[in-house]
Amino acid sequence: MKTAHEWREHLRAQYHDRLLYWSLRAASRMMLNVLCIIVDSMDKVKTAFPKYRQGRKPSYLEGLKRPKSITSAVLCHGWCTCVYTADETLSHGASAFCEILCRALDEVARLCRLHNRAFPQHLVIQSDNTTAQAKNNVVSLFLAYLVARGKFLTATINFLTVGHTHMRMLTACLQ
């Protein structure tokens, strides 16, 4: 159990985290040479179909498998929103994270060409605080590769505060 002081410190740190994100999001929306992206995925259980009213599978369907999918959203603030779905058999780990990031960056590049805008030089990614998808060596090496190849001058990944991850993506989508 947290003390009142620890709880206040947690809320203060979480609010400072949001302030940083909000300022980077604004810079991206104003096309200030920053591309701020937030990435989130839903787990397979949430996309299972059909949904059962009581939450339990009826006994007459016990032997059947419900189809599931992986749904991921990438918000490129000021540019576009990309939604990707994949079959449930596909792992949605680091490689899938890099794949959807590449596809979103390709879409931003296409929009830059279409509207005759300069491609942003600084990449900032907000992601869940999970080692399975983004907080790992694969994603860090991929961002280093983007910088080494001259795609960006800087590439940063920020992780959402534990306990405040999905609310941030929902808030970002609504604004």
Side-chain angles (χ1 to χ4, degrees):
M1 185 105 174
K2 288 186 177 186
T3 67
H5 175 71
E6 291 171 330
W7 180 245
R8 279 193 308 274
E9 186 59 32
H10 168 80
L11 292 177
R12 187 191 65 73
Q14 187 265 340
Y15 182 68
H16 286 280
D17 183 41
R18 284 179 184 251
L19 288 175
L20 175 64
Y21 168 67
W22 291 333
S23 65
L24 291 167
R25 180 183 67 186
S28 185
R29 287 177 176 173
M30 292 187 291
M31 311 288 173
L32 297 178
N33 211 16
V34 173
L35 176 57
C36 182
I37 295 176
I38 188 166
V39 181
D40 200 3
S41 296
M42 289 192 319
D43 61 29
K44 299 172 191 177
V45 175
K46 292 180 182 163
T47 61
F49 185 79
K51 302 287 184 198
Y52 304 119
R53 289 187 181 166
Q54 283 75 21
R56 293 189 62 200
K57 185 187 293 189
S59 59
Y60 61 88
L61 296 176
E62 278 303 318
L64 301 176
K65 186 176 177 187
R66 295 191 310 172
K68 301 173 187 167
S69 65
I70 301 164
T71 304
S72 301
V74 182
L75 241 81
C76 302
H77 290 290
W79 294 92
C80 60
T81 300
C82 305
V83 178
Y84 303 101
T85 59
D87 185 74
E88 69 177 307
T89 59
L90 179 73
S91 167
H92 68 284
S95 295
F97 184 89
C98 292
E99 174 72 21
I100 64 173
L101 183 58
C102 282
R103 289 175 183 253
L105 292 174
D106 284 346
E107 181 61 19
V108 171
R110 185 188 72 76
L111 291 170
C112 285
R113 288 189 302 275
L114 183 68
H115 299 291
N116 201 25
R117 293 184 186 154
F119 192 76
Q121 293 182 314
H122 304 281
L123 175 63
V124 179
I125 301 169
Q126 289 285 143
S127 180
D128 279 346
N129 197 354
T130 173
T131 56
Q133 292 178 332
K135 197 174 188 179
N136 54 56
N137 291 340
V138 173
V139 174
S140 297
L141 287 171
F142 177 68
L143 296 179
Y145 172 80
L146 290 176
V147 172
R149 293 288 302 191
K151 303 295 182 189
F152 294 98
L153 291 178
T154 62
T156 306
I157 187 162
N158 298 324
F159 299 103
L160 305 172
T161 305
V162 174
H164 300 275
T165 58
H166 297 290
M167 191 179 101
R168 171 102 31 107
M169 185 64 171
L170 178 63
T171 302
C173 287
L174 295 176
Q175 293 182 349

